[in-house]
Amino acid sequence: MSSIRFANVLLETKPRALSYPTMYYHTDQLLTPDPRTGDWTIAGAGTVDFTTYFNALSVLKLLKYTRATAFRLHIDVKSAKPVTLTQTRAERLSMQPQLVESVTANVPGDNKWHEVTLDITTDPTTVIAGFQIATQAKTTIRNGWYEVEFDGDPRDVELAIATTTFRKEKFIERNIALVKTELLGSDYDIAKHLTMHVIDNGSTLDAAALSDEHVTVTPNENVGGAGGFARGMIESLEQSTPATHVLLMDDDVEVSPESILRTYNLLRIVNDEYAEAFVSGAMLNIEDTQDQKEDTGFISTYDGSCVPAKPPLQVTKFVDVVYNECYDEQLSVPADAHRYAAWWYCVIPTAVIERNGLPLPVFVRFDDVEYGIRCNPKFMTMNGICVWHAKFDIRYNAGVERYQTIRNQMIGQMTTGLVPDTKTMLHSLHHMVDLECRKFNYTDAELALQGFEDFLKGPKFIMQPVAQECFMRANREKEQLVSFDELREQARQLGIDDFDPDMLTRQVIDFDEPRTLKQRAFDFLTRNGQRFGADKFAAKKIDGDAAADRVEYTIIPSAGWLYPAGMIHNENIIIAIDWATRKGVIRVKDVKRYQEVQKRYKRDLAYYKKHADRLSREYLAAAPRMESVEFWKAYLQMD
């Protein structure tokens, strides 16, 4: 029997912790830090409950994933009056923490430090366990941590962090500093078994200044996330003490070092069933710190899109903290769908990498999805293992979501079989083209077709170093938004004199109207007025003498995945707005261009159907080569 210091009671003064303290504790009394000592003081009589996202122990998952047999809480307490510490717990349907009165410690009020230990009791219904402190006067706490007792000895773990960056100096330099000061510079066991590989695709970091014996910054060609992570995997496998696990982590994230520490400890006590599982860290939003977007996802068998396996959660809410731990993904993931773990935070055992190879050379988008589905692992997720990432909602990029997505969906389908039926991916292409055309965004519809056409070129195309140029071309050719000043001028040239983007609100931009059944039928049959003879642009005008010459238009969000059907119904001019960047674009219905896009789409589809079997054979034959270390070393010019 062995034991390990598994998780610290986490109290932070970072901006997110100060803005959302209920991720860490719930209290009816002021709780403040001492910057000199790191101690925290409860101002007076009250209670502080630590049954929270970061400070509750994930009992249910520890018993599932690991060899855990018992749990303890350790914490130092000092107070002028007696203090009571009581274990808390939660079952699946708990609305609030339940006090376990049989597990209590009383601390005398003598203004001396006392080391308190609670032997946590659990039963098969326990999901999480925590503790509550009840005070009568000013009380100080420090050095809180959870001990896990487990069968056998800890596993030997060499954890390598591989992060790929492209001109995100602010994020990556901060994360390097956190790893160095709070992990490599700590007294924890991880300090002796952690390395960090920073693959700098932009070659903008000061590699010499940032590198040391544990951290290596490597300038690299811009080969995208797939190429950067492939190099990080190779370097982790070939470092002086080869890694047993590689943590792939995005560059534009904020991470808590405690998440990495808990990950390392989890790997040391994992049981045989989950020894080769992926650890998937949750993505929380940087902008809305409490919002959890995803921890694992799956591919929709309907349209090939990426879908979070869990519903959106707010980790400041007790019921969501419990729900997050006991949620059964089988309830939401279809039986024929495949799960994956995104690479904003994903730990992969190197034994899995050696057996299944490296990522495909697809630059960005679907590289992590394809790899996760190819490996088909079990997954481990846990409260407190996470990163904060910018919302996808406010950083839409058609170069990624149209060109990269459809091209890489099809490549992944050919090599790995992301979904049972390739028709799903063809439906994805149809949906992209149709949706953009309905909103008069013919440019991005053509971008999706370009991605499909590059897939049709076969594996030899992407096996050449063309990925960066393809991505740059897609970004040049996508619909270009302009500043509000330029947008206002463009509107005036069209005769729209009443448009003032500076007076817009998010409610106006995001608003949609319901449609009648007749309107729905019209939109479906005519593709928003672009088929069956609707071949002339005629801006609508409204009745009334004063406004007889007013050109009518509608306002919608610019993000491509949105479909404000009611707002665009029977319109001829659309002004699409990205409120986050204060930019927009004017789209005018063009039936001739619509017909050209549709003709190109049908031509591409006919070519695919004629050559589908050949393409499938070629991609399947090329996959082992593309996934090999030998290929990637040549591709990355590492030899």
Side-chain angles (χ1 to χ4, degrees):
M1 196 72 68
S2 306
S3 64
I4 190 172
R5 179 171 176 152
F6 178 76
N8 293 307
V9 174
L10 187 62
L11 293 169
E12 295 186 311
T13 56
K14 294 180 173 65
R16 61 170 175 266
L18 298 177
S19 298
Y20 294 87
T22 48
M23 291 193 301
Y24 303 84
Y25 57 85
H26 294 268
T27 183
D28 57 10
Q29 186 55 264
L30 188 63
L31 188 63
T32 56
D34 184 332
R36 298 168 303 159
T37 63
D39 303 342
W40 286 71
T41 297
I42 305 164
T47 60
V48 183
D49 189 283
F50 292 89
T51 323
T52 58
Y53 179 74
F54 276 111
N55 287 324
L57 189 65
S58 301
V59 170
L60 180 69
K61 288 190 171 177
L62 284 168
L63 292 174
K64 179 179 180 180
Y65 301 150
T66 75
R67 295 164 281 149
T69 58
F71 312 100
R72 296 183 188 89
L73 168 74
H74 300 268
I75 191 167
D76 297 341
V77 181
K78 179 176 69 173
S79 182
K81 290 186 178 181
V83 176
T84 301
L85 283 81
T86 306
Q87 180 196 329
T88 57
R89 65 184 295 273
E91 300 174 354
R92 286 166 173 78
L93 299 180
S94 295
M95 296 292 292
Q96 59 188 12
Q98 304 165 9
L99 290 173
V100 182
E101 301 288 357
S102 61
V103 184
T104 300
N106 296 306
V107 179
D110 57 6
N111 273 323
K112 295 181 180 178
W113 284 108
H114 296 270
E115 183 178 344
V116 178
T117 300
L118 290 182
D119 289 311
I120 294 173
T121 183
T122 66
D123 63 31
T125 67
T126 304
V127 176
I128 58 175
F131 66 102
Q132 185 181 101
I133 299 178
T135 64
Q136 300 180 39
K138 180 179 177 181
T139 300
T140 304
I141 59 175
R142 68 182 184 189
N143 193 30
W145 55 282
Y146 288 104
E147 175 188 3
V148 176
E149 194 173 279
F150 60 97
D151 287 330
D153 297 319
R155 296 179 184 269
D156 293 329
V157 174
E158 293 291 334
L159 180 61
I161 301 172
T163 184
T164 301
T165 185
F166 182 76
R167 298 176 182 174
K168 299 284 196 320
E169 295 85 356
K170 178 181 176 182
F171 279 100
I172 199 67
E173 288 176 0
R174 180 175 59 234
N175 287 338
I176 291 172
L178 286 173
V179 168
K180 285 183 175 181
T181 57
E182 299 195 30
L183 294 175
L184 293 170
S186 73
D187 295 328
Y188 303 129
D189 187 75
I190 192 174
K192 302 188 291 287
H193 302 282
L194 178 67
T195 53
M196 186 175 190
H197 299 280
V198 180
I199 311 303
D200 182 13
N201 283 350
S203 299
T204 56
L205 296 173
D206 188 340
L210 293 171
S211 299
D212 59 26
E213 59 179 320
H214 298 289
V215 177
T216 303
V217 177
T218 304
N220 201 42
E221 293 296 320
N222 185 19
V223 287
F229 284 126
R231 181 158 193 162
M233 289 179 178
I234 293 171
E235 293 191 354
S236 299
L237 290 168
E238 297 183 350
Q239 63 189 35
S240 57
T241 302
T244 61
H245 298 78
V246 182
L247 166 53
L248 304 181
M249 190 168 69
D250 271 350
D251 58 344
D252 54 346
V253 299
E254 293 182 4
V255 63
S256 170
E258 178 69 19
S259 293
I260 301 173
L261 177 62
R262 294 181 187 183
T263 299
Y264 173 78
N265 290 331
L266 175 63
L267 297 172
R268 296 184 73 203
I269 63 175
V270 70
N271 59 31
D272 290 341
E273 181 183 358
Y274 283 86
E276 291 194 350
F278 288 13
V279 180
S280 182
M283 187 190 89
L284 278 62
N285 289 335
I286 286 179
E287 298 82 5
D288 299 310
T289 304
Q290 65 179 342
D291 291 352
Q292 177 176 302
K293 175 68 175 178
E294 179 181 313
D295 58 11
T296 62
F298 67 94
I299 297 298
S300 166
T301 56
Y302 169 69
D303 62 3
S305 61
C306 298
V307 183
K310 292 178 181 176
L313 300 174
Q314 291 189 321
V315 300
T316 52
K317 295 181 178 179
F318 175 79
V319 292
D320 281 7
V321 170
V322 177
Y323 187 86
N324 201 27
E325 291 294 271
C326 66
Y327 186 81
D328 183 358
E329 285 82 2
Q330 292 182 356
L331 296 175
S332 59
V333 180
D336 58 349
H338 301 295
R339 286 172 69 195
Y340 65 87
W343 286 353
W344 49 67
Y345 189 108
C346 177
V347 179
I348 304 174
T350 52
V352 175
I353 298 173
E354 290 169 338
R355 185 165 62 249
N356 292 282
L358 299 169
L360 293 173
V362 293
F363 203 76
V364 294
R365 193 56 92 237
F366 272 77
D367 47 348
D368 49 359
V369 173
E370 182 278 331
Y371 193 81
I373 292 174
R374 187 203 316 168
C375 295
N376 191 30
K378 293 180 180 293
F379 297 97
M380 294 188 287
T381 64
M382 189 172 289
N383 281 339
I385 297 180
C386 64
V387 293
W388 284 266
H389 198 293
K391 287 181 182 177
F392 291 126
D393 315 32
I394 60 174
R395 55 191 189 104
Y396 178 84
N397 179 355
V400 173
E401 305 301 340
R402 292 297 178 247
Y403 174 82
Q404 292 286 143
T405 291
I406 192 58
R407 189 195 71 180
N408 295 349
Q409 276 181 333
M410 291 301 301
I411 292 172
Q413 180 64 19
M414 293 293 103
T415 61
T416 306
L418 305 183
V419 290
D421 192 339
T422 301
K423 290 180 181 178
T424 298
M425 298 311 184
L426 298 178
H427 176 78
S428 176
L429 173 65
H430 172 80
H431 175 72
M432 288 182 190
V433 174
D434 182 60
L435 179 60
E436 297 293 10
C437 284
R438 288 179 189 235
K439 297 186 293 182
F440 313 150
N441 186 357
Y442 312 107
T443 299
D444 289 349
E446 291 174 333
L447 202 60
L449 291 173
Q450 182 62 55
F452 187 67
E453 290 161 3
D454 281 355
F455 151 73
L456 294 175
K457 295 175 182 177
K460 290 183 180 179
F461 177 71
I462 64 164
M463 291 174 73
Q464 304 302 312
V466 298
Q468 179 181 4
E469 175 52 36
C470 287
F471 185 61
M472 292 174 63
R473 181 193 66 201
N475 279 293
R476 290 193 301 268
E477 295 180 356
K478 70 183 180 182
E479 180 181 67
Q480 301 297 323
L481 277 61
V482 300
S483 69
F484 276 2
D485 287 343
E486 190 172 347
L487 191 67
R488 184 186 293 107
E489 181 57 32
Q490 290 179 0
R492 286 175 181 164
Q493 292 175 8
L494 284 173
I496 302 173
D497 297 321
D498 60 342
F499 172 67
D500 185 357
D502 291 324
M503 298 304 293
L504 290 173
T505 64
R506 288 179 57 186
Q507 292 91 334
V508 170
I509 298 168
D510 295 338
F511 181 74
D512 195 14
E513 293 180 340
R515 290 178 298 167
T516 65
L517 183 60
K518 183 178 179 181
Q519 289 172 331
R520 288 173 180 270
F522 173 84
D523 292 342
F524 176 77
L525 292 172
T526 70
R527 295 301 188 267
N528 198 17
Q530 298 177 94
R531 298 198 303 179
F532 306 132
D535 57 355
K536 292 184 179 180
F537 167 73
K540 296 192 303 179
K541 299 180 180 181
I542 62 175
D543 296 330
D545 295 337
D549 294 327
R550 177 180 177 269
V551 176
E552 215 171 88
Y553 61 92
T554 190
I555 295 173
I556 67 168
S558 62
W561 44 55
L562 299 176
Y563 180 42
M567 294 302 293
I568 67 173
H569 169 73
N570 206 27
E571 294 287 348
N572 293 312
I573 299 177
I574 293 173
I575 302 180
I577 301 292
D578 179 6
W579 58 262
T581 61
R582 295 178 60 83
K583 291 184 177 182
V585 64
I586 299 176
R587 304 169 185 163
V588 177
K589 183 167 69 176
D590 186 337
V591 174
K592 182 179 178 181
R593 193 168 178 195
Y594 169 83
Q595 292 170 343
E596 291 171 350
V597 171
Q598 295 303 310
K599 182 178 179 180
R600 180 177 175 182
Y601 166 69
K602 292 175 182 177
R603 183 180 66 243
D604 288 350
L605 205 59
Y607 181 92
Y608 168 75
K609 291 178 179 179
K610 182 177 180 180
H611 298 277
D613 290 341
R614 173 183 61 81
L615 287 166
S616 178
R617 290 193 303 270
E618 290 179 356
Y619 276 106
L620 279 173
R625 169 68 178 164
M626 291 190 287
E627 298 158 3
S628 69
V629 172
E630 180 185 20
F631 166 80
W632 272 108
K633 282 192 171 182
Y635 189 94
L636 298 169
Q637 302 178 32
M638 293 177 65
D639 294 329

